[in-house]
């Protein structure tokens, strides 16, 4: 498998210090500086907002390993950033705008944040060379001293770095429930890598997954008249036809009391498994995906929460991702320690024997991208696009386990669909 070139642009080691001559004695002014945020802007990418710690001691330097924000760029992104267009005459730049306070209200009165200053860094040809480069590291003045215009004002500390971050890119060639082929994308070339087999029936006694099914589902597993979605399973096969990863529903997707959809109080769940290297025809748990539906304002979302299972045990769960995906428009599920809001998330590290074995866990300094899966909203033809960081894939089996996870995410969009809605024409065979 050949990876595609990606570059990780990371912004970290953030800190703000203000000379004593620039501070007033008013407590409100000091408090404003202690609650600063910055907007990080790069043309063609969504604006990212992150807090900026206030550095009170002039001898203190922020930790260089702290990553506040990251952008991931491929070749087409570089060309777009360096291009001249009708609405811009110069190359794009990385722009970091620092503000005091936050948007919102205080005691019922609108609180308007104030801009402290701006840091700009032009996009240059070195961005596309695919080499590790530190573009900036240190302190820089970004504001004026309001008390004395002849003296320096606020200073921003930051570290801007480029690192090569190659990825494997895969796509399901049709809807997951139609058992499509999975191809690897390399430019305009499509290379078949896996096949996907979807089944919505109960696991048969002759299937190696049956032991997991019977031990994972509580109570009777016979069909009932209750409205529920269960029995779904997906197997990922290599080119020789061998099943090398799978996902199956362990907790049925059922409507919660008082509503007509799967709620957070009782989410549906998938178990992601891979072959046990020590026991032929047996499977070993790798991860658990839970999914439910949430209504926020006038929009509905499907929340996907993924835990990695340490040593294949439920008790050794490690939260890797919890993502909201628009039920109508779809969206992106990802595992990325730079983009997670929860603290201290570890990254899976493949073992030498691999076969999808990510049981060995260790925190990775700086974190980073692990995988992403883009899916469509309910009722739409979804052909999931999956990207995997090359450093987490040592063999085909490693990639296959993420394909099983991606398939479970995609199918969860439909599994969380309200039960009263009619199935769109042409999809009756999938239920």
């Amino acid at each position: 498998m050949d990876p595609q070139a990606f570059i990780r642009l990371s912004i970290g080691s953030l800190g703000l210090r203000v000379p004593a001559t620039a501070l007033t004695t008013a407590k409100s002014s000091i408090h404003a500086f202690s609650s600063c945020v910055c907007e990080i802007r790069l043309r063609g990418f969504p604006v990212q907002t992150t807090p900026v710690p206030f550095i009170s001691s002039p001898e203190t330097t922020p930790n260089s390993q702290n990553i506040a924000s990251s952008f991931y760029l491929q070749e087409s992104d570089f060309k777009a950033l360096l291009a001249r267009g009708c609405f811009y005459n110069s190359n794009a730049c990385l722009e970091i705008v620092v503000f005091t306070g936050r948007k919102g209200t205080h005691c019922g009165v609108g609180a308007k944040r104030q801009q402290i200053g701006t840091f700009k860094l032009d996009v240059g040809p070195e961005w596309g060379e695919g080499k590790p480069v530190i573009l900036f590291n240190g302190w820089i003045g970004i504001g004026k001293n309001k008390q004395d215009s002849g003296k320096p004002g606020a200073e921003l500390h930051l570290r801007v770095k480029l690192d090569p971050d190659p990825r494997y890119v895969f796509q399901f060639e049709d809807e997951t429930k139609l058992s499509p082929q999975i191809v690897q994308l390399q430019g305009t070339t499509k290379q078949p890598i896996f096949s996907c087999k979807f089944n919505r029936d109960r696991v048969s006694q002759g299937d190696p997954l049956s032991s997991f099914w019977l031990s994972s589902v509580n109570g009777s597993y016979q069909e009932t008249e209750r409205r529920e979605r269960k029995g779904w399973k997906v197997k990922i096969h290599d080119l020789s036809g061998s099943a090398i990863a799978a996902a199956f529903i362990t907790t049925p997707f059922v409507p919660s009391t008082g509503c007509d959809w799967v709620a957070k109080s009782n989410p549906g769940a998938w178990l992601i498994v891979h072959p046990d290297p020590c026991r032929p025809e047996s499977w070993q748990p790798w991860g658990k995906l839970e999914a439910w539906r949430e209504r926020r304002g006038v929009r509905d979302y499907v929340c996907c929460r993924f835990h990695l299972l340490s040593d294949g045990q439920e008790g050794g769960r490690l939260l890797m991702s919890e993502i909201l995906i628009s039920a109508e428009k779809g969206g992106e599920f990802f595992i990325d320690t730079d983009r997670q809001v929860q603290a201290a998330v570890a990254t899976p590290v493949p073992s030498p024997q691999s076969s999808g074995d990510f049981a060995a866990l260790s925190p990775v300094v700086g974190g980073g991208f692990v995988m992403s899966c883009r899916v469509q909203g309910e009722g739409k033809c979804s052909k999931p696009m999956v990207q995997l960081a090359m450093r987490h894939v040592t063999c085909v089996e490693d990639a296959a386990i993420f394909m099983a996870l991606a398939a479970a995410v995609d199918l969860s969009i439909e599994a969380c669909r309200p039960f009263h809605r009619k199935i769109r024409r042409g999809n009756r065979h999938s239920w």
Side-chain angles (χ1 to χ4, degrees):
M1 298 188 298
D2 296 321
Q4 292 191 26
F6 277 78
I7 287 292
R8 176 192 183 206
L9 172 67
S10 59
I11 301 95
S13 190
L14 289 177
L16 183 74
R17 68 184 182 190
V18 182
T21 55
L23 285 172
T24 66
T25 56
K27 292 183 179 180
S28 60
S29 175
I30 297 175
H31 174 72
F33 281 109
S34 65
S35 60
C36 291
V37 298
C38 71
E39 289 185 353
I40 305 176
R41 305 168 182 169
L42 185 64
R43 191 172 71 203
F45 292 85
V47 175
Q48 300 184 24
T49 303
T50 187
V52 182
F54 180 67
I55 308 298
S56 56
S57 172
E59 293 81 19
T60 302
T61 300
N63 186 347
S64 62
Q65 303 299 332
N66 288 342
I67 304 298
S69 177
S70 293
F71 295 90
Y72 297 100
L73 300 86
Q74 52 187 322
E75 184 178 358
S76 59
D77 297 320
F78 296 127
K79 292 180 179 178
L81 289 170
L82 293 173
R84 298 174 183 270
C86 299
F87 301 103
Y88 41 85
N89 296 319
S90 59
N91 293 347
C93 68
L94 173 69
E95 185 178 31
I96 301 176
V97 186
V98 183
F99 299 90
T100 59
R102 302 176 184 273
K103 290 181 179 180
T105 60
H106 178 67
C107 298
V109 179
K112 184 178 181 181
R113 61 183 184 176
Q114 296 182 347
Q115 182 174 322
I116 299 175
T118 302
F119 168 85
K120 290 186 178 181
L121 182 66
D122 289 337
V123 176
E126 69 276 10
W127 286 41
E129 293 178 357
K131 300 177 181 179
V133 179
I134 297 178
L135 300 174
F136 185 88
N137 186 31
W139 291 97
I140 187 170
I142 60 169
K144 296 181 179 180
N145 190 325
K146 294 184 178 181
Q147 304 299 315
D148 187 343
S149 58
K151 295 183 179 181
E155 293 179 303
L156 178 68
H157 188 281
L158 74 162
R159 186 171 188 260
V160 183
K161 187 180 180 183
L162 290 173
D163 287 295
D165 192 26
R167 301 181 183 182
Y168 297 109
V169 182
F170 302 90
Q171 184 166 28
F172 289 63
E173 289 210 292
D174 209 331
E175 297 181 60
T176 304
K177 52 182 171 278
L178 297 182
S179 300
Q181 190 174 52
I182 302 174
V183 297
Q184 183 188 0
L185 304 180
Q186 182 60 264
T188 58
T189 304
K190 293 183 178 182
Q191 175 68 41
I193 298 292
F194 306 109
S195 61
C196 170
K197 178 64 177 177
F198 171 71
N199 194 318
R200 67 184 180 93
D201 298 324
R202 295 197 311 270
V203 179
S204 65
Q205 293 295 327
D207 194 311
L209 282 177
S210 61
S211 59
F212 276 106
W213 177 264
L214 296 175
S215 62
S216 301
V217 180
N218 295 324
S220 173
Y221 55 89
Q222 294 183 356
E223 296 294 341
T224 68
E225 295 300 321
R226 294 182 302 167
R227 297 176 302 169
E228 58 184 6
R229 292 159 187 157
K230 66 177 184 179
W232 300 4
K233 63 174 180 177
V234 179
K235 282 187 178 181
I236 306 299
H237 298 260
D238 61 17
L239 294 180
S240 69
S242 300
I244 53 177
F248 65 95
I249 291 179
T250 57
T251 302
F253 288 75
V254 299
S256 295
T257 304
C259 62
D260 196 44
W261 58 82
V262 182
K264 185 177 183 179
S265 58
N266 186 29
W270 297 79
L271 191 63
I272 317 298
V273 299
H274 63 86
D276 190 328
C278 301
R279 295 180 299 171
E281 302 300 323
S282 297
W283 297 82
Q284 182 176 349
W286 175 79
K288 183 177 182 179
L289 179 74
E290 295 176 301
W292 64 90
R293 193 180 187 90
E294 289 188 12
R295 178 160 293 169
R296 299 195 175 188
V298 297
R299 300 187 182 277
D300 285 1
Y301 296 87
V302 174
C303 186
C304 292
R305 179 168 61 198
F306 175 67
H307 285 91
L308 198 64
L309 303 181
S310 176
D311 297 323
Q313 300 298 319
E314 281 279 348
R317 297 194 305 173
L318 180 67
L319 179 62
M320 298 299 294
S321 185
E322 184 168 328
I323 307 296
L324 283 175
I325 300 175
S326 170
E328 177 187 3
K329 299 180 179 179
E332 181 187 25
F333 171 84
F334 57 84
I335 301 174
D336 187 339
T337 60
D338 288 347
R339 297 169 65 183
Q340 300 298 340
V341 294
Q342 67 265 21
V345 178
T347 302
V349 179
S351 67
Q353 61 193 10
S354 200
S355 297
D357 181 8
F358 291 90
L361 304 176
S362 65
V364 176
V365 176
F369 173 83
V370 179
M371 69 91 71
S372 69
C373 170
R374 183 161 294 279
V375 298
Q376 296 297 318
E378 60 187 17
K380 298 180 180 178
C381 179
S382 184
K383 301 178 181 180
M385 176 82 74
V386 184
Q387 296 184 3
L388 302 180
M390 188 183 74
R391 65 182 181 277
H392 295 299
V393 178
T394 60
C395 61
V396 172
E397 288 79 7
D398 289 343
I401 196 72
F402 285 107
M403 297 303 109
L405 173 58
V409 170
D410 183 47
L411 290 168
S412 292
I413 302 298
E414 291 297 322
C416 289
R417 183 178 54 84
F419 286 77
H420 71 274
R421 293 187 185 173
K422 294 181 179 180
I423 303 167
R424 67 186 180 95
R425 189 179 300 277
N427 275 353
R428 292 185 181 274
H429 62 278
S430 66
W431 299 96

